[in-house]
């Protein structure tokens, strides 16, 4: 009877913990997307100066500007070309990630988050994360799903340990 009460209490605690964590997911996706949009805006601002140079001298082609920098034979100018190339790559990556997080389907947003997440960026967002209590269908569904996963995992672990322990112990 005490074992049943402990298991039941543990189930309630795991369910609640899973629910609270999972209802935060839509808000985290939103804050992560806003963070990436800020990084994209910063990258675009830095590239705008190089775009002006490319417009004046390379028919607007930043890749042509980069190639000229890289072929200059001067280390500092080549390093600048490499830096501009990295910014261009970063802009493309951020644009694609934000677009994938803008999907109309919540499930696609969650999949995109977990497949395209940049751990450093996610850690930064978590450092500034503001807890929210979103009352959306997506948040509540996420909460219920993760809560039940926690319960099923507890049952699985309990079942495995009970089989491994000798009967009567």
């Amino acid at each position: 009877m005490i074992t049943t009460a402990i298991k039941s209490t543990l189930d309630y605690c795991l369910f609640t913990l899973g629910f609270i964590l999972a209802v935060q997911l839509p808000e985290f996706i939103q804050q992560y997307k806003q963070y990436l949009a800020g990084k994209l805006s910063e990258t675009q601002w830095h590239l705008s100066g190089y775009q002006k140079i490319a417009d004046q001298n390379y028919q607007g082609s930043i890749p042509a500007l980069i190639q000229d920098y890289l072929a200059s034979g001067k280390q500092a100018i080549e390093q600048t070309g490499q830096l501009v190339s990295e910014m261009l790559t970063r802009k493309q990556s951020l644009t694609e990630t934000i677009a994938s997080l803008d999907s109309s389907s919540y499930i696609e947003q969650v999949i995109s988050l977990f497949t395209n997440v940049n751990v450093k960026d996610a850690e930064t967002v978590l450092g500034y994360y503001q807890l929210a209590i979103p009352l959306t269908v997506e948040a509540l569904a996420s909460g219920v799903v993760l809560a039940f996963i926690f319960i099923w995992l507890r049952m699985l672990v309990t079942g495995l340990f009970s089989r491994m322990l000798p009967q009567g112990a």
Side-chain angles (χ1 to χ4, degrees):
M1 180 148 144
I2 292 176
T3 305
T4 304
I6 291 171
K7 285 181 182 177
S8 179
T9 303
L10 182 61
D11 285 346
Y12 290 135
C13 291
L14 287 173
F15 186 89
T16 303
L17 177 65
F19 187 82
I20 290 170
L21 288 175
V23 296
Q24 299 303 309
L25 192 56
E27 182 64 23
F28 179 81
I29 291 171
Q30 184 63 29
Q31 289 185 28
Y32 183 68
K33 195 169 31 172
Q34 289 173 347
Y35 176 79
L36 295 180
K39 286 181 77 168
L40 176 61
S41 179
E42 176 189 14
T43 301
Q44 289 172 324
W45 181 81
H46 285 291
L47 281 171
S48 67
Y50 293 103
Q51 184 63 59
K52 287 177 188 174
I53 294 169
D55 289 343
Q56 293 170 356
N57 301 291
Y58 299 92
Q59 293 83 36
S61 173
I62 289 183
L65 170 75
I66 292 169
Q67 288 304 318
D68 204 18
Y69 278 5
L70 294 174
S72 75
K74 294 182 181 177
Q75 185 177 6
I77 296 174
E78 289 174 1
Q79 289 172 342
T80 302
Q82 185 62 39
L83 183 65
V84 175
S85 177
E86 289 169 6
M87 280 192 281
L88 204 56
T89 302
R90 178 180 179 187
K91 177 186 173 190
Q92 182 64 30
S93 174
L94 288 168
T95 301
E96 290 170 2
T97 301
I98 291 168
S100 71
L101 290 171
D102 275 338
S103 169
S104 60
S105 164
Y106 175 66
I107 298 297
E108 289 175 9
Q109 290 176 3
V110 172
I111 291 169
S112 176
L113 175 70
F114 287 112
T115 56
N116 297 319
V117 71
N118 178 305
V119 176
K120 270 185 142 177
D121 290 340
E123 287 174 350
T124 301
V125 172
L126 280 174
Y128 295 105
Y129 184 74
Q130 296 290 318
L131 290 177
I133 303 178
L135 297 176
T136 63
V137 173
E138 294 87 3
L140 297 174
S142 295
V144 170
V145 168
L146 188 61
F148 278 113
I149 288 172
F150 277 16
I151 299 299
W152 292 327
L153 286 174
R154 197 274 311 153
M155 292 170 62
L156 177 67
V157 169
T158 303
L160 288 174
F161 278 121
S162 67
R163 289 186 181 138
M164 292 168 49
L165 294 174
Q167 296 299 327

